[in-house]
Amino acid sequence: MIEQFFPELKSYAQNFVASYGYTAIFLISFTESLIQPIPPYPFIVGAPLFKLSTYIAGAVALLGNMLGALVAYYMASFLGEAFVKRFLGERMYLKGESVFNKYGFFAVLIGEPYKLVCWLSGIFKMPLLSFLVASLIARGIRIGAFVFFGNFLEKLIN
């Protein structure tokens, strides 16, 4: 789906990972938590095609996601409600507020897109530890699933 709207970005990300390996996966994961639309998952599954370990790619992606999430959380807290409303749009902001008020921890646990969850967690002053635990669980499970499929792919191509 992303390639329909951002074909150049997808191609750039593939070349970036081919050239810079784990560093590229880290940066893609980090920025995906903040603003950009390319998730790290295809690069985790495709790690064997880039001559990378799926386990290391998954660990690097998780670290990048978590650090990016912290930056988004603190940026939202620092920049304030007016900025976040402009950044996300009034409709998305109000929907996020409703979901966070109703579900709290579980909004982070199952919420997507992740960058939206990170920004809203900061603006609605979710306790940092709760945010980190929910993010670690959610991202760990999601990235773990892609590592599993990457290992499966690696066995097929070897």
Side-chain angles (χ1 to χ4, degrees):
M1 178 171 169
I2 290 170
E3 54 272 359
Q4 294 172 332
F5 300 107
F6 305 103
E8 303 86 22
L9 186 57
K10 177 188 173 220
S11 175
Y12 175 77
Q14 289 172 326
N15 292 333
F16 188 47
V17 171
S19 298
Y20 297 101
Y22 299 118
T23 302
I25 292 173
F26 175 85
L27 291 172
I28 289 168
S29 299
F30 181 86
T31 57
E32 189 250 345
S33 297
L34 291 166
I35 193 165
Q36 65 89 2
I38 303 289
Y41 314 126
F43 305 108
I44 296 168
V45 171
L49 301 174
F50 294 105
K51 307 286 189 255
L52 302 172
S53 161
T54 54
Y55 291 108
I56 295 173
V60 166
L62 181 60
L63 178 63
N65 260 178
M66 295 303 294
L67 291 175
L70 275 172
V71 170
Y73 178 94
Y74 280 115
M75 282 179 65
S77 296
F78 176 75
L79 296 171
E81 185 176 331
F83 174 83
V84 174
K85 275 186 180 178
R86 246 181 310 146
F87 177 68
L88 297 176
E90 184 78 24
R91 187 176 146 269
M92 189 73 81
Y93 179 88
L94 293 174
K95 183 175 182 172
E97 183 176 34
S98 170
V99 169
F100 266 81
N101 287 337
K102 190 172 183 179
Y103 299 108
F105 179 88
F106 294 101
V108 176
L109 198 59
I110 61 172
E112 283 294 331
Y114 188 56
K115 65 190 92 344
L116 173 64
V117 169
C118 297
W119 283 90
L120 292 177
S121 296
I123 202 65
F124 298 133
K125 310 287 189 236
M126 181 177 195
L128 181 60
L129 185 59
S130 294
F131 170 67
L132 290 175
V133 168
S135 288
L136 191 57
I137 293 168
R139 298 329 265 184
I141 291 171
R142 182 176 291 247
I143 288 171
F146 285 96
V147 167
F148 172 81
F149 289 117
N151 273 343
F152 183 72
L153 175 65
E154 187 171 23
K155 288 176 183 165
L156 285 177
I157 61 176
N158 285 332

